[in-house]
PDB file of all heavy atoms in Angstrom:
ATOM      1  N   ALA H 184       9.070 -30.050 -24.111  1.00 96.00           N
ATOM      2  CA  ALA H 184       9.419 -31.384 -24.831  1.00 96.00           C
ATOM      3  C   ALA H 184       8.765 -32.576 -24.256  1.00 96.00           C
ATOM      4  O   ALA H 184       8.377 -33.487 -24.957  1.00 96.00           O
ATOM      5  CB  ALA H 184      10.965 -31.588 -24.766  1.00 96.00           C
ATOM      6  N   SER H 185       8.658 -32.573 -22.909  1.00 96.00           N
ATOM      7  CA  SER H 185       8.008 -33.825 -22.321  1.00 96.00           C
ATOM      8  C   SER H 185       6.525 -33.969 -22.737  1.00 96.00           C
ATOM      9  O   SER H 185       5.992 -34.990 -22.930  1.00 96.00           O
ATOM     10  CB  SER H 185       8.061 -33.687 -20.677  1.00 96.00           C
ATOM     11  OG  SER H 185       7.487 -32.427 -20.132  1.00 96.00           O
ATOM     12  N   PHE H 186       5.787 -32.779 -22.850  1.00 96.00           N
ATOM     13  CA  PHE H 186       4.475 -32.773 -23.235  1.00 96.00           C
ATOM     14  C   PHE H 186       4.358 -33.126 -24.621  1.00 96.00           C
ATOM     15  O   PHE H 186       3.384 -33.745 -25.142  1.00 96.00           O
ATOM     16  CB  PHE H 186       3.750 -31.511 -22.869  1.00 96.00           C
ATOM     17  CG  PHE H 186       3.762 -31.278 -21.361  1.00 96.00           C
ATOM     18  CD1 PHE H 186       4.574 -30.262 -20.891  1.00 96.00           C
ATOM     19  CD2 PHE H 186       2.911 -31.961 -20.539  1.00 96.00           C
ATOM     20  CE1 PHE H 186       4.595 -30.008 -19.386  1.00 96.00           C
ATOM     21  CE2 PHE H 186       2.950 -31.698 -19.223  1.00 96.00           C
ATOM     22  CZ  PHE H 186       3.710 -30.723 -18.619  1.00 96.00           C
ATOM     23  N   LEU H 187       5.280 -32.713 -25.436  1.00 96.00           N
ATOM     24  CA  LEU H 187       5.261 -33.026 -26.886  1.00 96.00           C
ATOM     25  C   LEU H 187       5.385 -34.549 -27.029  1.00 96.00           C
ATOM     26  O   LEU H 187       4.656 -35.126 -27.949  1.00 96.00           O
ATOM     27  CB  LEU H 187       6.423 -32.323 -27.601  1.00 96.00           C
ATOM     28  CG  LEU H 187       6.253 -32.418 -29.208  1.00 96.00           C
ATOM     29  CD1 LEU H 187       5.076 -31.654 -29.634  1.00 96.00           C
ATOM     30  CD2 LEU H 187       7.508 -31.707 -29.706  1.00 96.00           C
ATOM     31  N   ALA H 188       6.294 -35.148 -26.168  1.00 96.00           N
ATOM     32  CA  ALA H 188       6.329 -36.589 -26.138  1.00 96.00           C
ATOM     33  C   ALA H 188       5.050 -37.382 -25.781  1.00 96.00           C
ATOM     34  O   ALA H 188       4.658 -38.352 -26.390  1.00 96.00           O
ATOM     35  CB  ALA H 188       7.538 -37.076 -25.346  1.00 96.00           C
ATOM     36  N   LEU H 189       4.405 -36.800 -24.763  1.00 95.00           N
ATOM     37  CA  LEU H 189       3.255 -37.361 -24.268  1.00 95.00           C
ATOM     38  C   LEU H 189       2.024 -37.545 -25.368  1.00 95.00           C
ATOM     39  O   LEU H 189       1.292 -38.294 -25.484  1.00 95.00           O
ATOM     40  CB  LEU H 189       2.597 -36.576 -23.094  1.00 95.00           C
ATOM     41  CG  LEU H 189       3.153 -36.906 -21.553  1.00 95.00           C
ATOM     42  CD1 LEU H 189       2.601 -35.888 -20.640  1.00 95.00           C
ATOM     43  CD2 LEU H 189       2.913 -38.349 -21.234  1.00 95.00           C
ATOM     44  N   PHE H 190       2.067 -36.371 -26.144  1.00 96.00           N
ATOM     45  CA  PHE H 190       1.017 -36.280 -27.122  1.00 96.00           C
ATOM     46  C   PHE H 190       1.568 -36.578 -28.569  1.00 96.00           C
ATOM     47  O   PHE H 190       0.984 -36.144 -29.554  1.00 96.00           O
ATOM     48  CB  PHE H 190       0.388 -34.896 -27.174  1.00 96.00           C
ATOM     49  CG  PHE H 190      -0.439 -34.680 -25.871  1.00 96.00           C
ATOM     50  CD1 PHE H 190       0.019 -33.816 -24.916  1.00 96.00           C
ATOM     51  CD2 PHE H 190      -1.607 -35.156 -25.762  1.00 96.00           C
ATOM     52  CE1 PHE H 190      -0.639 -33.574 -23.799  1.00 96.00           C
ATOM     53  CE2 PHE H 190      -2.453 -34.890 -24.553  1.00 96.00           C
ATOM     54  CZ  PHE H 190      -1.948 -34.157 -23.680  1.00 96.00           C
ATOM     55  N   ASP H 191       2.645 -37.403 -28.498  1.00 95.00           N
ATOM     56  CA  ASP H 191       3.067 -37.985 -29.796  1.00 95.00           C
ATOM     57  C   ASP H 191       3.417 -36.905 -30.826  1.00 95.00           C
ATOM     58  O   ASP H 191       2.939 -37.111 -32.088  1.00 95.00           O
ATOM     59  CB  ASP H 191       2.044 -39.051 -30.397  1.00 95.00           C
ATOM     60  CG  ASP H 191       1.910 -40.145 -29.424  1.00 95.00           C
ATOM     61  OD1 ASP H 191       2.832 -40.632 -28.744  1.00 95.00           O
ATOM     62  OD2 ASP H 191       0.640 -40.632 -29.213  1.00 95.00           O
ATOM     63  N   GLY H 192       3.972 -35.914 -30.425  1.00 97.00           N
ATOM     64  CA  GLY H 192       4.384 -34.803 -31.450  1.00 97.00           C
ATOM     65  C   GLY H 192       3.364 -33.854 -31.801  1.00 97.00           C
ATOM     66  O   GLY H 192       3.470 -33.106 -32.724  1.00 97.00           O
ATOM     67  N   ASP H 193       2.122 -33.945 -31.248  1.00 97.00           N
ATOM     68  CA  ASP H 193       1.047 -33.013 -31.597  1.00 97.00           C
ATOM     69  C   ASP H 193       1.116 -31.795 -30.994  1.00 97.00           C
ATOM     70  O   ASP H 193       0.751 -31.487 -29.795  1.00 97.00           O
ATOM     71  CB  ASP H 193      -0.200 -33.796 -31.146  1.00 97.00           C
ATOM     72  CG  ASP H 193      -1.550 -32.950 -31.818  1.00 97.00           C
ATOM     73  OD1 ASP H 193      -1.297 -31.828 -32.030  1.00 97.00           O
ATOM     74  OD2 ASP H 193      -2.502 -33.641 -32.017  1.00 97.00           O
ATOM     75  N   HIS H 194       1.793 -30.705 -31.685  1.00 97.00           N
ATOM     76  CA  HIS H 194       2.072 -29.421 -31.180  1.00 97.00           C
ATOM     77  C   HIS H 194       0.782 -28.702 -30.806  1.00 97.00           C
ATOM     78  O   HIS H 194       0.699 -27.991 -29.838  1.00 97.00           O
ATOM     79  CB  HIS H 194       2.723 -28.535 -32.169  1.00 97.00           C
ATOM     80  CG  HIS H 194       4.209 -29.005 -32.449  1.00 97.00           C
ATOM     81  ND1 HIS H 194       5.201 -28.491 -31.820  1.00 97.00           N
ATOM     82  CD2 HIS H 194       4.760 -29.941 -33.292  1.00 97.00           C
ATOM     83  CE1 HIS H 194       6.381 -29.142 -32.174  1.00 97.00           C
ATOM     84  NE2 HIS H 194       6.031 -30.006 -33.146  1.00 97.00           N
ATOM     85  N   ASP H 195      -0.351 -28.872 -31.542  1.00 97.00           N
ATOM     86  CA  ASP H 195      -1.512 -28.229 -31.176  1.00 97.00           C
ATOM     87  C   ASP H 195      -2.139 -28.706 -29.873  1.00 97.00           C
ATOM     88  O   ASP H 195      -2.604 -27.829 -29.125  1.00 97.00           O
ATOM     89  CB  ASP H 195      -2.557 -28.536 -32.253  1.00 97.00           C
ATOM     90  CG  ASP H 195      -2.272 -27.841 -33.615  1.00 97.00           C
ATOM     91  OD1 ASP H 195      -1.607 -26.797 -33.639  1.00 97.00           O
ATOM     92  OD2 ASP H 195      -2.655 -28.294 -34.646  1.00 97.00           O
ATOM     93  N   LYS H 196      -2.076 -30.004 -29.614  1.00 97.00           N
ATOM     94  CA  LYS H 196      -2.432 -30.461 -28.276  1.00 97.00           C
ATOM     95  C   LYS H 196      -1.613 -29.927 -27.152  1.00 97.00           C
ATOM     96  O   LYS H 196      -2.249 -29.649 -26.021  1.00 97.00           O
ATOM     97  CB  LYS H 196      -2.403 -32.036 -28.254  1.00 97.00           C
ATOM     98  CG  LYS H 196      -3.687 -32.649 -28.882  1.00 97.00           C
ATOM     99  CD  LYS H 196      -3.841 -34.025 -28.608  1.00 97.00           C
ATOM    100  CE  LYS H 196      -5.188 -34.567 -29.222  1.00 97.00           C
ATOM    101  NZ  LYS H 196      -5.345 -36.072 -28.757  1.00 97.00           N
ATOM    102  N   VAL H 197      -0.335 -29.686 -27.256  1.00 97.00           N
ATOM    103  CA  VAL H 197       0.568 -29.153 -26.236  1.00 97.00           C
ATOM    104  C   VAL H 197       0.051 -27.796 -25.996  1.00 97.00           C
ATOM    105  O   VAL H 197      -0.145 -27.325 -24.786  1.00 97.00           O
ATOM    106  CB  VAL H 197       1.970 -29.188 -26.640  1.00 97.00           C
ATOM    107  CG1 VAL H 197       2.847 -28.517 -25.532  1.00 97.00           C
ATOM    108  CG2 VAL H 197       2.364 -30.645 -26.708  1.00 97.00           C
ATOM    109  N   GLU H 198      -0.194 -27.074 -26.998  1.00 97.00           N
ATOM    110  CA  GLU H 198      -0.699 -25.626 -26.876  1.00 97.00           C
ATOM    111  C   GLU H 198      -1.987 -25.569 -26.275  1.00 97.00           C
ATOM    112  O   GLU H 198      -2.350 -24.824 -25.357  1.00 97.00           O
ATOM    113  CB  GLU H 198      -0.642 -24.877 -28.242  1.00 97.00           C
ATOM    114  CG  GLU H 198       0.690 -24.618 -28.740  1.00 97.00           C
ATOM    115  CD  GLU H 198       0.732 -23.670 -29.933  1.00 97.00           C
ATOM    116  OE1 GLU H 198      -0.398 -23.162 -30.257  1.00 97.00           O
ATOM    117  OE2 GLU H 198       1.701 -23.331 -30.504  1.00 97.00           O
ATOM    118  N   GLU H 199      -2.896 -26.474 -26.518  1.00 97.00           N
ATOM    119  CA  GLU H 199      -4.241 -26.514 -26.036  1.00 97.00           C
ATOM    120  C   GLU H 199      -4.164 -27.053 -24.549  1.00 97.00           C
ATOM    121  O   GLU H 199      -4.929 -26.385 -23.661  1.00 97.00           O
ATOM    122  CB  GLU H 199      -5.018 -27.637 -26.725  1.00 97.00           C
ATOM    123  CG  GLU H 199      -6.492 -27.522 -26.489  1.00 97.00           C
ATOM    124  CD  GLU H 199      -7.442 -28.471 -27.188  1.00 97.00           C
ATOM    125  OE1 GLU H 199      -6.834 -29.096 -28.155  1.00 97.00           O
ATOM    126  OE2 GLU H 199      -8.575 -28.651 -26.966  1.00 97.00           O
ATOM    127  N   LEU H 200      -3.230 -27.852 -24.176  1.00 97.00           N
ATOM    128  CA  LEU H 200      -2.984 -28.314 -22.761  1.00 97.00           C
ATOM    129  C   LEU H 200      -2.628 -27.026 -21.918  1.00 97.00           C
ATOM    130  O   LEU H 200      -3.159 -26.769 -20.833  1.00 97.00           O
ATOM    131  CB  LEU H 200      -1.893 -29.279 -22.671  1.00 97.00           C
ATOM    132  CG  LEU H 200      -1.468 -29.727 -21.314  1.00 97.00           C
ATOM    133  CD1 LEU H 200      -2.697 -30.588 -20.587  1.00 97.00           C
ATOM    134  CD2 LEU H 200      -0.237 -30.559 -21.318  1.00 97.00           C
ATOM    135  N   ASP H 201      -1.628 -26.212 -22.466  1.00 97.00           N
ATOM    136  CA  ASP H 201      -1.179 -25.024 -21.764  1.00 97.00           C
ATOM    137  C   ASP H 201      -2.429 -24.082 -21.498  1.00 97.00           C
ATOM    138  O   ASP H 201      -2.522 -23.664 -20.396  1.00 97.00           O
ATOM    139  CB  ASP H 201      -0.138 -24.300 -22.623  1.00 97.00           C
ATOM    140  CG  ASP H 201       0.758 -23.560 -21.852  1.00 97.00           C
ATOM    141  OD1 ASP H 201       0.682 -23.600 -20.427  1.00 97.00           O
ATOM    142  OD2 ASP H 201       1.596 -22.819 -22.331  1.00 97.00           O
ATOM    143  N   GLN H 202      -3.124 -23.753 -22.448  1.00 96.00           N
ATOM    144  CA  GLN H 202      -4.301 -23.025 -22.335  1.00 96.00           C
ATOM    145  C   GLN H 202      -5.418 -23.478 -21.477  1.00 96.00           C
ATOM    146  O   GLN H 202      -5.972 -22.705 -20.631  1.00 96.00           O
ATOM    147  CB  GLN H 202      -4.884 -22.606 -23.774  1.00 96.00           C
ATOM    148  CG  GLN H 202      -6.148 -21.670 -23.686  1.00 96.00           C
ATOM    149  CD  GLN H 202      -5.596 -20.312 -23.147  1.00 96.00           C
ATOM    150  OE1 GLN H 202      -4.515 -19.820 -23.388  1.00 96.00           O
ATOM    151  NE2 GLN H 202      -6.466 -19.661 -22.371  1.00 96.00           N
TER     152      GLN H 202
END
Side-chain angles (χ1 to χ4, degrees):
S185 57
F186 296 104
L187 191 62
L189 275 177
F190 290 102
D191 300 320
D193 191 330
H194 291 268
D195 291 338
K196 279 195 173 182
V197 174
E198 291 189 5
E199 191 176 351
L200 175 70
D201 204 9
Q202 184 59 35

